[in-house]
Amino acid sequence: MESIFSGISEALYLIVTLDPDMLEIIFLSLKVTISAVIIAALIGLPLGAWLVVKRFRFRRIVVSVLNALMGLPPVVVGLFVYLLLSRSGPFGVLGLLFTPTAMIIAQVLIITPLIASIAHQSIRDLWAEYHDLLISLHTSRFQRVKALLWDGRRALLTAVLAGFGRAIGEVGAIMIVGGNIDHSTRVLTTSIALETGRGNFAFAMGLGIVLIVLAVVVNLLIHSLSKTERASTW
């Protein structure tokens, strides 16, 4: 028990003193995760809305596949991206393997189905409410998608937050495509795994505390900016 408290105190000291190595890891983690979430949201939110307003033959199958991809194993995604970006792969000439860009690509593939599926579920209820109105106004499919996304923007934050939560805690895929290279592709989760293996529990615990705090702060910040709680008061 004493060693645990000692590790926590050392971890808090590293955080308070703004340890340079820790700051570098934190900033890279935020850069990769936020970039991936933005790209995935730009793809997933319109996709979820489009699947609501568009009727086609295999729509239910597509939605079922999309829901199934929510549980896609990250290591499989990492392996897939690795094969694509390796020297013998089709995109090996770009030299993206073991770079932050490769990590962003892997995270986008992981969280896009999650964001799209949650967005689809949220907008489906909204579409049932506004279906007759939007049809009577003779709106185009693009206008319907745009209207549903705008009107359901607060509810869609749940999808974005879910994507952020999964991306910030991802380790398997980014370990494969990023390589956990010091001062290059080392992020919070891979650093925690590495430092724990080394026995450097204070540094690992400090990173763990930062990871938890980041997740909580981002959630509170987004809810505050969207005025979700204020809108629901009565």
Side-chain angles (χ1 to χ4, degrees):
M1 184 64 69
E2 184 179 348
S3 61
I4 295 177
F5 286 119
S6 176
I8 293 176
S9 63
E10 291 182 39
L12 292 175
Y13 175 78
L14 290 172
I15 296 173
V16 172
T17 57
L18 301 178
D19 182 77
D21 291 335
M22 181 175 290
L23 288 178
E24 181 183 31
I25 293 170
I26 293 171
F27 289 142
L28 180 60
S29 298
L30 288 175
K31 176 184 176 181
V32 170
T33 300
I34 293 175
S35 299
V37 170
I38 291 174
I39 296 172
L42 291 175
I43 298 172
L45 296 180
L47 176 60
W50 182 81
L51 287 174
V52 171
V53 302
K54 174 66 175 178
R55 291 293 185 268
F56 54 95
R57 185 174 182 181
F58 300 106
R59 175 178 167 274
R60 291 187 178 181
I61 296 177
V62 172
V63 173
S64 298
V65 171
L66 187 66
N67 292 334
L69 290 177
M70 290 175 63
L72 192 65
V75 290
V76 176
V77 176
L79 177 60
F80 176 74
V81 176
Y82 180 92
L83 294 175
L84 289 178
L85 300 181
S86 63
R87 290 186 177 181
S88 58
F91 302 106
V93 67
L94 300 176
L96 296 178
L97 193 61
F98 302 137
T99 66
T101 302
M103 298 159 65
I104 293 173
I105 293 172
Q107 287 195 350
V108 168
L109 292 178
I110 292 171
I111 66 176
T112 295
L114 177 65
I115 292 177
S117 182
I118 297 177
H120 175 267
Q121 294 171 15
S122 300
I123 294 176
R124 184 174 55 190
D125 298 333
L126 201 61
W127 174 241
E129 181 179 351
Y130 290 114
H131 174 271
D132 294 340
L133 174 62
L134 293 174
I135 294 296
S136 64
L137 293 175
H138 302 289
T139 55
S140 65
R141 191 169 291 114
F142 173 78
Q143 290 173 322
R144 296 170 193 172
V145 169
K146 183 179 178 181
L148 290 172
L149 288 175
W150 175 253
D151 200 67
R153 59 192 182 279
R154 289 196 178 104
L156 294 176
L157 280 174
T158 302
V160 177
L161 287 172
F164 178 85
R166 183 165 187 183
I168 195 69
E170 172 51 37
V171 59
I174 59 176
M175 180 77 80
I176 294 175
V177 301
N180 197 24
I181 303 172
D182 194 17
H183 305 297
S184 179
T185 59
R186 186 162 296 171
V187 293
L188 284 169
T189 50
T190 58
S191 296
I192 292 172
L194 177 66
E195 298 301 334
T196 301
R198 288 177 173 177
N200 190 0
F201 298 114
F203 195 74
M205 192 171 296
L207 293 173
I209 293 173
V210 170
L211 184 60
I212 295 173
V213 170
L214 281 176
V216 173
V217 168
V218 169
N219 275 268
L220 292 176
L221 180 62
I222 292 180
H223 280 301
S224 175
L225 292 175
S226 64
K227 301 180 181 178
T228 303
E229 297 299 328
R230 187 181 306 174
S232 63
T233 57
W234 50 276

